[in-house]
Amino acid sequence: MSVCFGCACLKPRYKRLVDNIFPLNPEDGLVKNNMDKLTYYAMSNSEKLDRIGAYLEQKLGRDLQRRRIGNVFISMDALDQLLVACHSHSLNLFVESFLKMVQKLLESDDPDLQVLATQSFVKFANIEEDNPSYHRRYDFFVSKFSAMCHCGKDNENIKTKSGHLTMSLRIRNAGLRGLQGVVRKTVSDDLQVNIWESIHMDKMVPSLLFNMHNPNFMSVDLESPKDEEHPVYLSEVVFRDLVCRASYGNIKSVLKPALIHYDNHKLWVPSDFVVKCFKIIMYSVQQQYGYIVIQTLMEHLDKHTRSEPQIKNSIIDVLYESVLIAAGGSIGPSVLDVINTLLRHLRLSIETNDETKEQFEDNIINTIGEFAKNLPDYQKIEIMMFIMGKFPQFSSEELGEAVDTRMQTMLLKTLLKVATKYKTVEMQKTFPVEFLIPLLRISLLPDATMRATVQDILHKLIDRHDNTEKLKHITIPKDVGDLDLVVEKNSRHDSLFMKKNGLQFYWHILENVQMTSNKVNNFESLYCTMCLLCVEIGCDEMVIELLRLGLDLQQLAMSNSSLPLTHKCAVHGMVAAYLNLASQLLCEQPVCQYVSEIIEMRRKEAPHYLPEFAFNRANRPNSYPSSDTMRDEWLFDQVMLQELLVECGQDASRLNVSLAQKPYSAMDVGTSGSASDIGSIQLEVESVETSPMMSRKSVKEEITVESLKKMLAEDSREKKEEEEKRRLEIVHTFRTAPFEEIVARSEAKSNHFHNKLSEILDMVSKPPESPERNRKAFSDNVVPVYDMQFPELFVY
């Protein structure tokens, strides 16, 4: 006894304190009083902490070999308490011993010891250390915890009959909590191992997704507090924790292994689980980094260019749901890049001509629409202009005719989807020239359905007060107030916009009306566009021009012999309804009364020229009259309207100017389908000498190098003398001539100027009776030098 006592006394004090915490019977647990003494000693003598850890590690290794599991639990309990209590500068060496002990337990075959080691590691992960560590590595723990996450079979029951988790699921939970501990311990310390490297993420992310993918868990009551024990729930918590801690450069480190996992395990179809995962990502990621998720999905879609339509459709579904969640400011810098990628996949889908891809194409269009919804208005206009550039007539790409038609249809649907997300404030901002002109050019496509879609796009962009639905059908109400239209006084900016671009709208409307492929819905769409222009931008001076548009349409229906009778009736009916609306908006009773009289006369004598008949889809060819007779009393007379407007105090001078002239920007329209070049002003001039807009120099005078030398060689002194002589003559005349002579000379000069000006205005304002007849008359005398078309800048 004395020898044994002497040996015990020879041990260092820290070893004696460690030995005293172990009871004789391990089942009694840690000796609390002795543990308090050990803790106090460690805190008072921090330099001994690393030796205490090394000695505990030595005892734990020996206990593991001898299968003394009770002592193992006591050792880990003691380590946990020391870690929590001590925060000295020497804690790093103690931690090394602690991690070695945790590693030994994780390497054992006993599941309870693995769970115990994980619990200790999680406690350690929650401790904030005062001093940095430069040499720790967590590779083993990442690999081990990830392997533990895959323990057990997929179809194993979540709980046993007693309500407890099975051992395999307990190990899974331990692995999940261990991964969470690794993330928390390393993600905020730059000196630790970089957990975002692919070697670690390729293990962690699939392990989390493996536990999240359990369809049976959906039937479990998630409101129960015990559900937090389920691996499915816990894996979602860890996954959210991982994503929310990711910075700008680390988001893709999480997304790429996730996408590879979906590919390898064929989880895209059905897409429910992947959609769920990306909702978790979008709600967890920092708001300003949301667009990176969108970009990564687009890149992954590129990799599946030749995959099955179902897979690509699922990726688009995921992208759609992600865009819905993304905040407006988070999509930002790569807007056109994303749109370009989506449009490229849309074109590839169209080229394959596979009917099974219709859903895929619709999803792309919906995704572009939702993407645009989260952007500011100016970027929506940029997107629409970008989409416009993809039309075959504006693009350098050569596709087949069938592909062209289908591509145009899909692009128009995309434009319409984006337009529905735009809210117009000022017309000038909504319709920049670079966008308006191509859009109106597309409105002349040969396909009637496409033309109707273009008009729908215009409705969405012009209508600021939700009046479109009230003007969809062509009717003639006695009181326009019954339509409950919202009419506000337009701003000065809108008036300037219409003065500058009104001719573009008018001319393309006239061209659209002449299309022989028009159907009822085409006329209804054109009528709605005209009415929206009148309601939204129809100030007093603009209404006069809009009345002129109705008269031009009436003249077109009478003069265009290529229009069938059904179309002529439709045009006359549309004009009647339109003038009824415009006159009532003008609020001049004599004009309204005159329009009503013409409508009543048609109702009695020619009902086929009113909307009730012309737009009745139940009509058959035998329902129409045998001829297109149009009596003068059934027409809206321009002279009468002008007189009534003048009586009401309106400036009706603009009613004399035809709006059917071809605008300058439409001269080179590459889109075919126009029935005729109605009303285009073409002045064929005999020679330069007879042109009132050119100086009258002889065309025989040739400008050569010699003539230029001669001009430069002329004596400048002679020129000055001639100018001085002319000036003196003028001064002498004004000094000596009678006053009446001076007045007569001035009047003659002024009359000459006004005569020339009137001649020019008459040539511009007077519409030609027939462009073909004028062209023939000129050609009989002399071959025309050129055709002059006045740009919109010179037409007020």
Side-chain angles (χ1 to χ4, degrees), residues 588-607:
E588 300 294 352
Q589 187 59 33
V591 179
C592 296
Q593 184 176 355
Y594 171 72
V595 173
S596 299
E597 290 174 358
I598 300 297
I599 292 173
E600 288 300 321
M601 189 173 298
R602 286 190 187 182
R603 187 169 282 119
K604 295 176 181 178
E605 302 177 5

Side-chain angles (χ1 to χ4, degrees), residues 271-401:
S271 62
D272 298 343
F273 173 66
V274 186
V275 169
K276 172 187 173 183
C277 292
F278 271 90
K279 283 184 176 180
I280 292 174
I281 292 173
M282 292 304 298
Y283 282 120
S284 302
V285 73
Q286 298 181 44
Q287 183 178 4
Q288 65 271 26
Y289 302 148
Y291 75 92
I292 300 179
V293 181
I294 307 297
Q295 285 181 335
T296 306
L297 277 171
M298 299 303 306
E299 294 171 1
H300 196 69
L301 180 61
D302 288 339
K303 296 178 182 178
H304 284 273
T305 301
R306 302 190 179 277
S307 298
E308 297 178 359
Q310 294 84 354
I311 296 178
K312 295 201 293 184
N313 194 37
S314 294
I315 298 176
I316 292 295
D317 285 340
V318 174
L319 185 62
Y320 177 80
E321 295 294 337
S322 300
V323 167
L324 286 179
I325 300 171
S330 67
I331 294 180
S334 301
V335 172
L336 296 183
D337 183 43
V338 173
I339 297 297
N340 187 48
T341 303
L342 289 171
L343 292 178
R344 185 173 68 251
H345 283 278
L346 181 64
R347 180 174 58 82
L348 292 174
S349 175
I350 292 172
E351 289 177 353
T352 57
N353 198 20
D354 188 353
E355 295 181 357
T356 61
K357 293 190 176 183
E358 290 184 2
Q359 184 180 0
F360 171 70
E361 295 165 2
D362 290 339
N363 285 344
I364 288 182
I365 294 173
N366 292 333
T367 302
I368 293 176
E370 290 303 323
F371 189 89
K373 180 181 179 181
N374 292 327
L375 297 171
D377 284 343
Y378 75 91
Q379 284 192 317
K380 293 173 187 173
I381 294 296
E382 289 180 357
I383 288 176
M384 288 191 281
M385 293 171 62
F386 184 78
I387 295 172
M388 195 81 66
K390 296 295 181 180
F391 276 81
Q393 56 264 54
F394 303 132
S395 175
S396 59
E397 298 181 9
E398 296 183 1
L399 303 174
E401 183 176 353

Side-chain angles (χ1 to χ4, degrees), residues 357-550:
K357 293 190 176 183
E358 290 184 2
Q359 184 180 0
F360 171 70
E361 295 165 2
D362 290 339
N363 285 344
I364 288 182
I365 294 173
N366 292 333
T367 302
I368 293 176
E370 290 303 323
F371 189 89
K373 180 181 179 181
N374 292 327
L375 297 171
D377 284 343
Y378 75 91
Q379 284 192 317
K380 293 173 187 173
I381 294 296
E382 289 180 357
I383 288 176
M384 288 191 281
M385 293 171 62
F386 184 78
I387 295 172
M388 195 81 66
K390 296 295 181 180
F391 276 81
Q393 56 264 54
F394 303 132
S395 175
S396 59
E397 298 181 9
E398 296 183 1
L399 303 174
E401 183 176 353
V403 177
D404 274 354
T405 302
R406 198 155 168 237
M407 186 67 183
Q408 288 174 335
T409 302
M410 289 300 170
L411 290 174
L412 284 174
K413 288 183 178 180
T414 307
L415 272 176
L416 180 59
K417 180 65 70 172
V418 177
T420 57
K421 311 298 180 182
Y422 183 83
K423 187 64 176 177
T424 299
V425 178
E426 291 184 10
M427 294 296 171
Q428 186 65 44
K429 295 180 180 178
T430 302
F431 293 105
V433 176
E434 300 83 2
F435 173 61
L436 176 62
I437 303 305
L439 182 62
L440 293 177
R441 287 177 61 183
I442 294 174
S443 71
L444 300 179
L445 288 170
D447 186 85
T449 304
M450 294 183 191
R451 294 200 301 274
T453 305
V454 175
Q455 297 303 319
D456 289 339
I457 295 170
L458 289 172
H459 299 164
K460 296 294 182 182
L461 297 176
I462 296 174
D463 187 10
R464 290 176 288 195
H465 302 95
D466 299 326
N467 290 320
T468 301
E469 292 300 323
K470 306 167 188 175
L471 299 170
K472 276 289 186 182
H473 303 289
I474 304 179
T475 59
I476 304 181
K478 290 185 178 180
D479 185 2
V480 174
D482 296 339
L483 296 177
D484 196 24
L485 297 173
V486 180
V487 183
E488 294 183 0
K489 185 177 181 180
N490 58 305
S491 65
R492 178 174 174 272
H493 296 287
D494 290 342
S495 299
L496 293 175
F497 169 78
M498 281 303 292
K499 287 180 180 179
K500 182 179 179 182
N501 301 289
L503 187 61
Q504 297 289 345
F505 287 103
Y506 306 150
W507 186 82
H508 284 88
I509 288 173
L510 290 168
E511 289 293 297
N512 268 273
V513 168
Q514 297 178 82
M515 297 288 186
T516 56
S517 60
N518 281 334
K519 300 178 182 178
V520 173
N521 62 324
N522 292 102
F523 288 109
E524 290 177 339
S525 297
L526 290 169
Y527 169 78
C528 186
T529 302
M530 294 164 58
C531 291
L532 286 174
L533 288 173
C534 194
V535 171
E536 293 290 338
I537 327 177
C539 62
D540 292 347
E541 54 184 310
M542 288 296 107
V543 170
I544 301 298
E545 294 196 358
L546 291 167
L547 289 174
R548 176 71 255 180
L549 173 61

